[in-house]
Structure formats: structure tokens, C-alpha cells
Amino acid sequence: VVSPLGGQYNIGDSLMVVGEFTNNGANDETNVNVGYKVMKDGEEVFSTEDTIADFPVSELKTDTLGYWVPEEAGDYTITVYNGYSDDNPSDDTMSVDITVVGGAVEEEVTTEDMVIFKNGKLIYNTGNVKEAELIIYDITGAELIKKTVVNKGHVDVSNLSQGIYFVKLRIGTNAYTHKITVVK
């Protein structure tokens, strides 16, 4: 079993590779070497290997082997293999074909450009991020506004009273906090 299950992906997508393995050897609890490799135009572009230690005979084991992030467009084959065990030197493999297409070029956005407060509007810029979360807190930490935002836009904050506020822009696992001062 390979995940992703074929199809089309973008440059920069994180692809999780999962394998399903059994120990068909004669000895109980032997070590089994597993891994995967990525091929493009007959050339290996990435590979990794790991050992499942003390793997019981006939047990089925599903394991995340790792993540691969394609850096260029093209057609690839991802092959998961049960390379060999101490008493079973066979090569059991399963492959899936994927196509990687050119993704959007990431726009360079500095943290200073992410949130700008101007004329009663909060202007945000998340670059080419598919989705981000914008949250506005007052000085006590109370959440006042929370919305999902994409790329560039603005939030009308003219209804906020005079004072100091904090704007958190959460993009994936990263969060950027900015202080704004509303003066009326």
C-alpha cells in the first residue's frame, strides 16, 4: 500500500508514504528492512530505509515510512519495498505512479508586510498560502474577531474602540502577532 494513491500533486506538496508489510520468514521476531524510493526518468531521486526490529512472523504491520516533498514537475514512481529479513532475502515491492505539476511560485512576504493597519482597515498578506486564520485580541486577551483569510485582503476594524489590539495571523503551524493602536 502506498499513500498517496497515485494522481496529480503540486511541487511542494508533502506526500506521506505508507507501507503495509508482513514477515513471511521462517523465524519468529526477525528484523525486516523496509523502505521506499522515488524514481523519475529511470533515476533515483530519493530513498530511505528503516528496520522493523523483532517483527513477528505472519503479523501485518502498517508503517509510515516518511514524507517526500517533490521539488520539480514530472512523472514519478514511488516504490515501497520489504527489502529482506534475516531469513527471507526476497524483494517484495509495490509501486504507484504520480504526476507532479508546477505549483504556484511562493510570493516573498516579510513579517512586516503581513499585517498593516491603515485608515480603519487591517490589511493582510499571507502570500500564496491557501488558507490562514486571522484573530484580533484586545489588551486583555479577549478574542474580538476571528476569520479565515486567503492571500491578500482587508478586515474592516473601524468599529473597534480607541486602544491597543493584537493581531495574530496563523499560517499552518506558524503564528505571527502584530500590535496595532487604534486612534480616533
Side-chain angles (χ1 to χ4, degrees):
V1 175
V2 179
S3 177
L5 298 173
Q8 182 172 301
Y9 300 89
N10 292 312
I11 292 172
D13 285 351
S14 182
L15 307 179
M16 178 173 62
V17 180
V18 176
E20 196 168 85
F21 308 97
T22 57
N23 177 3
N24 295 321
N27 295 328
D28 196 22
E29 297 188 358
T30 189
N31 294 333
V32 176
N33 294 322
V34 297
Y36 72 96
K37 63 183 174 182
V38 180
M39 304 287 287
K40 179 182 181 204
D41 300 325
E43 301 283 324
E44 186 175 297
V45 296
F46 184 82
S47 67
T48 186
E49 187 172 290
D50 196 7
T51 300
I52 301 175
D54 302 326
F55 189 1
V57 169
S58 299
E59 181 176 308
L60 181 65
K61 192 175 278 263
T62 302
D63 195 15
T64 299
L65 298 175
Y67 295 85
W68 174 65
V69 179
E71 297 176 356
E72 61 182 58
D75 293 322
Y76 294 86
T77 300
I78 301 174
T79 302
V80 172
Y81 60 89
N82 175 359
Y84 54 89
S85 64
D86 297 339
D87 61 339
N88 181 19
S90 68
D91 279 332
D92 298 326
T93 64
M94 177 173 266
S95 298
V96 65
D97 294 323
I98 66 166
T99 299
V100 176
V101 296
V105 176
E106 289 290 324
E107 179 182 344
E108 241 352 274
V109 178
T110 65
T111 56
E112 292 81 26
D113 294 335
M114 287 185 173
V115 176
I116 300 170
F117 178 63
K118 187 177 185 179
N119 298 329
K121 289 184 180 175
L122 189 65
I123 301 166
Y124 60 84
N125 184 354
T126 63
N128 290 333
V129 173
K130 293 179 184 170
E131 194 172 277
E133 185 177 57
L134 186 136
I135 309 166
I136 300 176
Y137 301 93
D138 67 12
I139 196 78
T140 68
E143 187 178 292
L144 305 175
I145 298 172
K146 181 177 184 178
K147 47 183 314 179
T148 300
V149 297
V150 179
N151 299 103
K152 299 176 186 176
H154 70 276
V155 176
D156 184 1
V157 292
S158 60
N159 62 339
L160 293 178
S161 303
Q162 183 169 314
I164 296 173
Y165 298 88
F166 295 95
V167 180
K168 182 183 283 186
L169 192 60
R170 186 174 295 136
I171 303 171
T173 58
N174 298 317
Y176 306 93
T177 303
H178 301 272
K179 181 175 118 180
I180 62 171
T181 303
V182 174
V183 179
K184 294 195 174 195

